[in-house]
Amino acid sequence: MVPVKKEFVNNMFSVEGKVALVTGATGALGKVLAKAYGYAGAKVIMTGRSEGKLKELEDEFKAENIDCCYVVADPAKEEDVQGLIKASVEKYGEINILAVCHGYNKPQNILEQSVADWQYIMDADCKSVYIVCKYVAQQMVDQGKGGKMVVVTSQRSKRGMAGYTGYCTSKGGADLMVSSMACDLTAKYGINVNSICPTVFRSELTEWMFDPESAVYQNFMKREPIGRLAEPDDFVGFALFLSSEASNFMTGGNYDCSGGYLTC
Ligand code: NDP
């Protein structure tokens, strides 16, 4: 029997010294994860389309001695993403972890939604994931040291919903893309690719759903074995796990992070 190694166990959750690239870093989940990587000793590259917000984050993180920088880029634009990889490597020499945290939705009934609006959601939530993962994967392959990719999709990738023909389709596509990328990238190049499928996490946009008096909250509680909606820390723990060596045997998975929403 191969004994468990003390040094491995002591360091298996560490991302210290790694270089982590976070898309959608200006968003609720991207921001908490970027900061968590920083607290855990990683060097953090934050990206998004809003320079003002990225600069604010950089100032905030640097005030806490987090080694970080930002690069403005639209994840759905190939040339932006190529520039992002170049700038990241110029700054830190390599990329070891990718966290895809950007996303967009504009719910509309299919009968009222234009094809252009639907395509915009598909580009923002699916095509962009392909572009970012493709170019980061190439960089990781060139480095020859493997890597970890964590893509945030949604619990809506597994269930339909009124007004969500764009969002559910793109998130479902991203989940299958993750599984397919694992087939391309893990055995040969040591790059683990997984997705996290969340339900509702507390953020500025979702705060209203946490009101126990609201119908939305009460409906969720009928199907939430855990008895509450999610806090940012619930996401951070899972994402750090999938970014670390502790999850070395996990790839191609679409992992539920919903407090058990799909179980009842
Ligand atoms: P937010 O809306 O807070 O932020 C997402 C970020 O994505 C924004 O800050 C924005 O950054 C970027 N973004 C917005 N629109 C686009 C677009 N059209 N194209 C590219 N980037 C865009 O989202 P959350 O942090 O709450 O969610 C993160 C991910 O998790 C998303 O994929 C979301 O779908 C998913 N999710 C979130 C849940 C939640 O409860 N929070 C539940 C289930 C899934 P910038 O403007 O700087 O580019």
Side-chain angles (χ1 to χ4, degrees):
M1 193 179 86
V2 181
V4 65
K5 294 194 175 64
K6 186 176 176 187
E7 196 192 341
F8 177 71
V9 172
N10 285 344
N11 295 306
M12 69 201 292
F13 295 103
S14 173
V15 294
E16 193 169 1
K18 302 284 185 192
V19 180
L21 172 60
V22 182
T23 76
T26 55
L29 297 182
K31 176 181 171 176
V32 293
L33 182 55
K35 201 173 224 184
Y37 282 139
Y39 285 155
K43 297 162 198 159
V44 188
I45 304 144
M46 298 174 284
T47 184
R49 300 162 308 158
S50 322
E51 177 148 28
K53 289 185 191 171
L54 287 167
K55 177 79 184 96
E56 271 177 35
L57 281 180
E58 186 190 53
D59 291 345
E60 181 185 326
F61 287 18
K62 284 193 168 166
E64 295 206 57
N65 294 319
I66 291 172
D67 190 351
C68 66
C69 68
Y70 72 83
V71 182
V72 179
D74 183 335
K77 290 189 179 152
E78 201 173 350
E79 62 280 10
D80 277 21
V81 173
Q82 287 170 305
L84 164 67
I85 308 301
K86 189 166 178 284
S88 302
V89 174
E90 274 169 13
K91 172 77 179 169
Y92 289 123
E94 59 184 357
I95 302 168
N96 310 117
I97 297 165
L98 168 67
V100 176
C101 301
H102 65 271
Y104 170 80
N105 193 20
K106 183 183 171 190
Q108 270 182 305
N109 186 299
I110 188 170
L111 300 177
E112 284 131 30
Q113 185 178 46
S114 69
V115 175
D117 277 353
W118 180 85
Q119 185 68 58
Y120 185 82
I121 298 169
M122 294 300 293
D123 289 353
D125 288 335
C126 196
K127 179 182 168 190
S128 62
V129 176
Y130 175 83
I131 293 173
V132 171
C133 291
K134 173 182 169 61
Y135 284 106
V136 171
Q138 186 61 60
Q139 176 60 33
M140 288 176 172
V141 168
D142 293 346
Q143 292 165 192
K145 294 158 65 175
K148 303 278 182 187
M149 293 189 183
V150 183
V151 178
V152 185
T153 60
S154 171
Q155 183 273 324
R156 284 291 151 209
S157 66
K158 307 297 180 204
R159 290 283 187 283
M161 187 167 167
Y164 273 45
T165 51
Y167 191 77
C168 290
T169 310
S170 59
K171 295 294 189 179
D175 268 354
L176 270 174
M177 195 192 306
V178 159
S179 301
S180 301
M181 286 191 292
C183 299
D184 281 345
L185 299 172
T186 312
K188 198 164 178 192
Y189 302 108
I191 302 168
N192 299 60
V193 194
N194 292 292
S195 63
I196 296 178
C197 312
T199 43
V200 178
F201 274 74
R202 192 188 294 276
S203 72
E204 275 172 40
L205 287 180
T206 62
E207 187 68 46
W208 65 277
M209 295 186 192
F210 286 70
D211 176 1
E213 302 300 318
S214 79
V216 170
Y217 181 87
Q218 287 169 10
N219 275 333
F220 262 106
M221 285 313 111
K222 288 178 194 159
R223 292 196 52 189
E224 278 286 9
I226 210 154
R228 63 178 175 86
L229 296 177
E231 300 295 337
D233 282 355
D234 298 317
F235 168 70
V236 161
F238 202 177
L240 277 175
F241 167 66
L242 288 177
S243 307
S244 71
E245 293 199 7
S247 59
N248 276 350
F249 201 62
M250 300 170 78
T251 198
N254 308 145
Y255 294 106
D256 175 76
C257 188
S258 70
Y261 187 77
L262 297 180
T263 61
C264 62

